[in-house]
Amino acid sequence: MSDLASRITDPSESAAELSKDDDAAAPHAQVDGASAAIGGLALTEADGDVEVPIKDHHQIYSVVNWTELGLSEQILKGLYLANFYKPSKIQVRSLPLMLSNPPKNMVAQSQSGSGKTVAFLTACLSRVDFSQPEQPQALILAPTQELADQICRNIQTIGCFVENLKVALAIPTQIPRGQSVKASLVVGTPGTVLDLGRRKQLDCSKLKVLVLDEADNMLDLAGLGDQCLRVKLRLLPPDTLASIQVLLFSATFPARVEEYIPKFAPNANTLRLKTEELTVKGISQMFVDCPDESARYDILCNLYGLMTIAQSVIFVKTRKSASEIQQRMTKQGHKVTVLHGEFNSIERLDLLGKFRRGESKVLITTNLLSRGIDVSNVSMVINYDIPMKPGPKGDEPDAETYLHRIGRTGRFGRIGVSVSFVHDQKSFDALNAIAAHFGIDLVKLPTHDWDEAEETVKQVIRKNSSRANQAPKVDDNQSAPAA
């Protein structure tokens, strides 16, 4: 694990900062598959196919509906109530493997918005013995407090018909010191879970399932990687390690993480989205060529009208720049919200809750919210700073973070827009490298005429909408089958 200490995904949100957020006040509301549940929208299956290099080939079979998976009536009713009428591709492929006996480890990679969260939550709910509702049996780890809270809400949505369902949110301020965790499903951040274990508040002696959401981030980020390993080695009884099912889910698994996966989830079955399908086809990806760094702010303000058509997220490099942009825009009469790791746990959940309810249309944030968080009405993502990561020769383009960022829009087959700002040769080269990595044709957004810019956005959305409509979809008006 010593090699993990040198890996930091983003210089602005270092491992030390994120670990401090977790331990000091350790993130909110549904993850990839669950926003449809919370937003009340029917799931539209994401385009793309899945490669299945697995160890137990006889366990592969194709299902058409949830009933073929042998799920309980209570779980089925919860899925239908949440408008999940039909399994998505990642759910069709992963659930038969995750639910097979004896339990096998799983590594599943599929694009944002394809239903990964619903897949692993359905598996967890199916594994738990609800006759012991206060005994922790499924532990789900997430990199941020917001994502942990979101997953927790999704369990309660999908499991709303399950008798004796008890879920604990293991983030700072949620579980009082000295109080035992009495829930069959526990969702939390690694630092807080470790603290609970050290204080003998969390009993993992009968754990059946361990899940890492955003697993590449969890195993790669300095600090979180060490924490996740300590959770596994220190909190889980050695004699039960071999029998605990480990599930790793993410939209990306870089090569540097691939090498470590077998140590954390040995002999795992693996599902991977084909490389050419990694980018979300429903997202119109554009860029703005700014004359210089100072011009970015003026162009951002000019885009405000487009950002408020629905809701938008602006990603910046540092907490300081996020706060400065928010203050400047507010002074000019623009209503924007800022959210980053300097806010305490209660403030962060409250701010994100207001954004979810539409009380603010524009959210400025760091990479804190780049992963997993879903707000159904987000239609635009702006990369004010191109995502970068440390490399052997200095900062280099971060294609994985770019993919996760733009994944905050265009969720579940909906149409979204991403706009990336370039202002010098370094940012231009970085965006070009990311575009080449994913084979993206970026559209240049004109800035000399904002009426033309708005029309360009609408044209690109219409073009992308027609492409996305070619993919199979679930009828929004389809009636849920009787459970």
Side-chain angles (χ1 to χ4, degrees):
M1 284 300 292
S2 57
D3 60 327
L4 289 173
S6 62
R7 299 178 189 155
I8 299 176
T9 312
D10 187 320
S12 67
E13 289 291 324
S14 71
E17 290 178 303
L18 287 177
S19 297
K20 184 183 76 170
D21 287 342
D22 182 11
D23 293 331
H28 168 208
Q30 180 243 291
V31 83
D32 287 328
S35 83
I38 292 177
L41 300 174
L43 173 66
T44 300
E45 182 175 325
D47 193 14
D49 204 356
V50 178
E51 295 176 338
V52 193
I54 72 165
K55 301 182 181 300
D56 298 321
H57 293 277
H58 67 281
Q59 291 177 351
I60 296 181
Y61 61 91
S62 178
V63 300
V64 176
N65 54 54
W66 295 111
T67 57
E68 295 179 59
L69 290 168
L71 302 176
S72 71
E73 180 180 351
Q74 291 78 18
I75 295 175
L76 283 173
K77 288 172 67 176
L79 288 167
Y80 295 144
L81 182 67
N83 293 332
F84 292 109
Y85 301 142
K86 172 186 174 183
S88 68
K89 287 179 181 177
I90 191 65
Q91 293 157 2
V92 161
R93 297 299 184 94
S94 66
L95 277 165
L97 296 169
M98 289 190 290
L99 297 177
S100 64
N101 285 306
K104 292 295 295 289
N105 296 339
M106 165 72 72
V107 177
Q109 175 257 324
S110 182
Q111 68 193 40
S112 297
S114 57
K116 297 187 294 296
T117 303
V118 171
F120 69 70
L121 291 186
T122 300
C124 288
L125 287 167
S126 299
R127 290 287 184 198
V128 166
D129 177 6
F130 290 102
S131 68
Q132 303 181 60
E134 296 186 347
Q135 175 63 51
Q137 299 170 58
L139 175 61
I140 303 169
L141 299 179
T144 64
Q145 301 172 44
E146 287 80 7
L147 187 51
D149 180 72
Q150 181 170 283
I151 295 169
C152 191
R153 292 169 183 260
N154 283 305
I155 295 174
Q156 293 166 337
T157 298
I158 299 172
C160 63
F161 293 104
V162 176
E163 293 185 12
N164 298 322
L165 174 66
K166 290 192 176 183
V167 187
L169 178 59
I171 65 174
T173 75
Q174 293 295 311
I175 300 175
R177 183 179 289 269
Q179 178 177 300
S180 297
V181 177
K182 295 183 177 181
S184 50
L185 293 99
V186 181
V187 187
T189 46
T192 300
V193 168
L194 273 174
D195 285 343
L196 291 170
R198 282 194 293 260
R199 295 196 293 261
K200 307 299 183 183
Q201 293 177 246
L202 177 60
D203 172 21
C204 293
S205 62
K206 296 184 179 179
L207 202 70
K208 298 179 179 180
V209 186
L210 172 64
V211 181
L212 265 60
D213 193 19
E214 304 297 339
D216 64 324
N217 181 272
M218 298 285 275
L219 296 179
D220 178 57
L221 191 63
L224 287 183
D226 288 327
Q227 288 176 347
C228 289
L229 185 62
R230 290 201 299 271
V231 167
K232 183 177 181 182
L233 297 182
R234 295 183 183 179
L235 300 192
L236 312 187
D239 58 338
T240 66
L241 277 176
S243 62
I244 295 174
Q245 185 176 33
V246 179
L247 308 177
L248 308 181
F249 277 75
S250 184
T252 54
F253 280 102
R256 62 186 180 276
V257 175
E258 295 269 8
E259 300 172 1
Y260 181 68
I261 287 175
K263 301 176 184 177
F264 202 90
N267 302 313
N269 288 323
T270 304
L271 301 180
R272 301 204 186 284
L273 193 74
K274 291 181 179 178
T275 304
E276 63 269 21
E277 301 294 350
L278 275 174
T279 52
V280 183
K281 283 186 167 58
I283 299 176
S284 301
Q285 297 170 62
M286 293 176 271
F287 76 99
V288 174
D289 192 356
C290 308
D292 52 47
E293 184 171 359
S294 62
R296 284 189 300 169
Y297 176 76
D298 293 331
I299 292 173
L300 181 69
C301 290
N302 284 324
L303 281 172
Y304 184 81
L306 288 174
M307 288 190 284
T308 55
I309 291 175
Q311 287 179 288
S312 301
V313 179
I314 303 169
F315 285 104
V316 299
K317 180 179 180 180
T318 66
R319 300 171 178 182
K320 181 179 178 181
S321 59
S323 296
E324 288 177 349
I325 292 170
Q326 186 259 348
Q327 291 167 9
R328 290 181 67 184
M329 293 187 75
T330 299
K331 286 181 180 179
Q332 291 185 249
H334 301 302
K335 188 176 181 181
V336 296
T337 301
V338 65
L339 177 58
H340 50 63
E342 287 185 0
F343 293 95
N344 65 38
S345 182
I346 296 175
E347 290 172 327
R348 284 160 64 169
L349 298 186
D350 181 59
L351 286 167
L352 187 54
K354 289 179 178 178
F355 185 62
R356 289 181 182 282
R357 296 189 295 271
E359 295 178 25
S360 60
K361 289 293 190 76
V362 181
L363 181 67
I364 306 171
T365 187
T366 58
N367 284 338
L368 177 71
L369 296 187
S370 65
R371 289 173 173 265
I373 297 300
D374 186 80
V375 178
S376 60
N377 289 326
V378 169
S379 62
M380 180 178 287
V381 165
I382 293 179
N383 287 307
Y384 191 80
D385 295 300
I386 303 301
M388 305 291 287
K389 62 184 178 182
K393 298 181 179 180
D395 287 353
E396 58 186 36
D398 189 346
E400 287 82 20
T401 294
Y402 174 88
L403 181 62
H404 284 281
R405 283 183 178 184
I406 70 169
R408 298 315 99 211
T409 185
R411 311 282 286 175
F412 306 97
R414 300 190 290 272
I415 303 303
V417 175
S418 74
V419 180
S420 298
F421 285 17
V422 295
H423 65 277
D424 57 13
Q425 192 63 45
K426 182 178 180 179
S427 59
F428 182 81
D429 291 343
L431 185 60
N432 266 340
I434 291 171
H437 179 81
F438 290 121
I440 303 166
D441 293 323
L442 292 169
V443 175
K444 185 175 181 179
L445 189 63
T447 57
H448 60 276
D449 184 331
W450 289 104
D451 289 335
E452 180 184 347
E454 184 171 345
E455 183 57 33
T456 299
V457 172
K458 291 177 179 178
Q459 287 179 359
V460 174
I461 289 176
R462 282 195 291 267
K463 182 178 179 181
N464 237 20
S465 179
S466 64
R467 289 177 181 173
N469 285 338
Q470 296 173 6
K473 287 184 169 60
V474 177
D475 183 358
D476 286 356
N477 296 317
Q478 174 184 350
S479 298

